[in-house]
Structure formats: C-alpha cells, structure tokens
Amino acid sequence: MAVSFSDFSSPSGLQKLDEYLLTRSYISGYQASKDDLAVYGALPSPPSSEYLNISRWYKHIDALLKLSGVSEAGSGVVVSSSAVEVAPPSPPISDAKAPAAEEEDDDDDIDLFGEETEEEKAASEARAAAAKASGKKKESGKSSVLMDIKPWDDETDMKKLEESVRAVQMEGLTWGASKLVPVGYGIKKLQIMMTIIDDLVSVDGLIEDHLTAEPASEYIQSCDIVAFNKI
C-alpha cells in the first residue's frame, strides 16, 4: 500500500513524517529504496533536531548517498510541494551513436595480427589489474540487519538493555530504529535495526564479543538475526 505525505514545508507535514519514522528505519521495507530517495529529495532542507526521527533517518540516507559517490547538489530537478519534475536526462539516440561510428572507423586502422609491443603489454596488464581491483571493491558493500534481542526475564530493565546495545560503537556500525515486541508472560524483546559495512563488521562477532559479553550480558540473554539484506 502506498504511503502518502503532505507538504514537508509545513510543521504538520513534518510531524506526520516524524511520527511515521518512530518505529521505522526506512520509508518502506528493511533497506533503503527509491521511496527514501523520493522523500529525501522532497524535504526543502535538513530537518532540525526537533524532529528526532526524521533527523536520524535523514542523516542515514545522506550518508548512504555519500558512500555511493552521490554528493554533488546536481541540477535540472525542480521539487515542488506535491511533485518532482526531472529534466530530460540524455541526448537523442542518434547523437549517442555518432562516436561509436567514429570508433569503428578507427578500428579499421588497427593491425589485429601485429606483434604486441612492450608498451601495449604494460597497458594491458595495467587494465587487468585495475579491473581486478575494481571487482574486489564492488564485493565490499553494506547490509541492513534486523535483530531480536531477548532479556533474561520480565524483570529486566528494557531501557537499560537498549542503552547497553546502543553503547556498542564501532567503525562501520550504525544503529537504527527499535521497538519493544511482546513475547509472552509479560516479557518483551527488543527489535532493532542496524546498518553495517560488511568488510568492517561481523554480525556474529558483534553478538559474541559485545552483545552477549559483559557488561551487556547483564541484561541480554540471547540475540537472533531476523533479516539480513544487502544494500
């Protein structure tokens, strides 16, 4: 079901969005999507700290855009209170084909059976090394993880439990939205979102070395991964 928001330039529109993000890390689903980009682009300016949930979400999406290399302001897009207009993104197809024709003409001058020179061999090796390095770089990415964290019993202070979870800070780890979910017999579990950089954070290591180790183990009995999605 589609989600509808009113004008983000008004306090009432921002308040509705802030309430919506109270129990969510993203506009829809458990990972960033085009819905987040649409709302991000429709905000007239970075939200103030008065809107705590929007501010948290905005900083997270802004960080994702910068990590993906999208950091320039850009041009050609006009955002109004109710619609987004995008300028034509590319030239006509006929213009795009013109350089290809020139490249084909240049290929006619190349001796495909000639002996490779030292310079050409070095250039070929450099291209192969760059392609290999690029492939390795693409393998490292980010993941969105939804985790259930269970207390020892119904007398466990859930506020302190969540504080002990969020107290775990490391490079590549960002905690997101959370909520308490009833389990039964008066016991509630903490369900919390986090975003990790795969090369820097091991979820198994996070659980074993931090969440189920002292001092957090005073409140936490066990942790379960509910969802694990690549971003």
Side-chain angles (χ1 to χ4, degrees):
M1 181 181 294
V3 180
S4 176
F5 296 106
S6 57
D7 185 3
F8 292 140
S9 62
S10 67
S12 60
L14 290 173
Q15 183 62 37
K16 180 180 179 181
L17 177 60
D18 192 67
E19 292 173 356
Y20 180 81
L21 289 171
L22 177 61
T23 58
R24 296 173 175 83
S25 292
Y26 302 103
I27 299 301
S28 60
Y30 294 116
Q31 56 184 321
S33 67
K34 292 182 179 179
D35 293 339
D36 295 278
L37 295 181
V39 176
Y40 177 91
L43 288 169
S45 62
S48 67
S49 57
E50 174 186 357
Y51 302 101
L52 180 63
N53 301 307
I54 302 179
S55 181
R56 165 187 53 77
W57 166 85
Y58 185 93
K59 291 177 181 178
H60 178 53
I61 298 303
D62 189 61
L64 289 180
L65 290 173
K66 290 178 179 177
L67 282 173
S68 65
V70 181
S71 58
E72 295 298 325
S75 61
V77 177
V78 178
V79 179
S80 65
S81 62
S82 60
V84 178
E85 300 177 3
V86 183
S90 60
I93 295 177
S94 58
D95 293 340
K97 289 184 177 179
E102 293 177 2
E103 292 176 3
E104 290 176 1
D105 292 338
D106 293 339
D107 290 343
D108 294 338
D109 299 329
I110 299 175
D111 183 2
L112 299 178
F113 300 97
E115 184 177 354
E116 187 177 37
T117 66
E118 289 298 325
E119 290 79 4
E120 291 171 340
K121 184 178 181 180
S124 178
E125 292 175 351
R127 287 194 297 270
K132 185 177 181 180
S134 176
K136 289 183 178 180
K137 184 177 180 180
K138 289 180 181 178
E139 290 174 1
S140 63
K142 299 184 68 178
S143 297
S144 175
V145 184
L146 178 63
M147 184 179 295
D148 279 351
I149 300 179
K150 300 175 183 177
W152 287 103
D153 50 41
D154 60 337
E155 296 182 357
T156 301
D157 189 328
M158 296 304 293
K159 182 177 180 181
K160 290 184 178 179
L161 182 146
E162 182 171 357
E163 289 176 352
S164 68
V165 171
R166 294 186 182 275
V168 178
Q169 298 292 325
M170 62 179 66
E171 184 180 2
L173 170 64
T174 302
W175 294 109
S178 64
K179 63 179 179 180
L180 295 179
V181 180
V183 177
Y185 304 101
I187 300 175
K188 294 182 180 181
K189 63 183 178 181
L190 175 70
Q191 194 167 82
I192 189 167
M193 290 289 303
M194 64 179 175
T195 302
I196 62 171
I197 296 178
D198 299 331
D199 286 351
L200 300 179
V201 180
S202 164
V203 178
D204 291 337
L206 173 65
I207 294 174
E208 294 176 6
D209 299 337
H210 299 279
L211 297 180
T212 55
E214 294 184 351
S217 59
E218 179 182 351
Y219 307 101
I220 299 172
Q221 179 194 52
S222 63
C223 302
D224 296 315
I225 298 173
V226 179
F228 196 116
N229 299 307
K230 294 291 184 180
I231 298 178

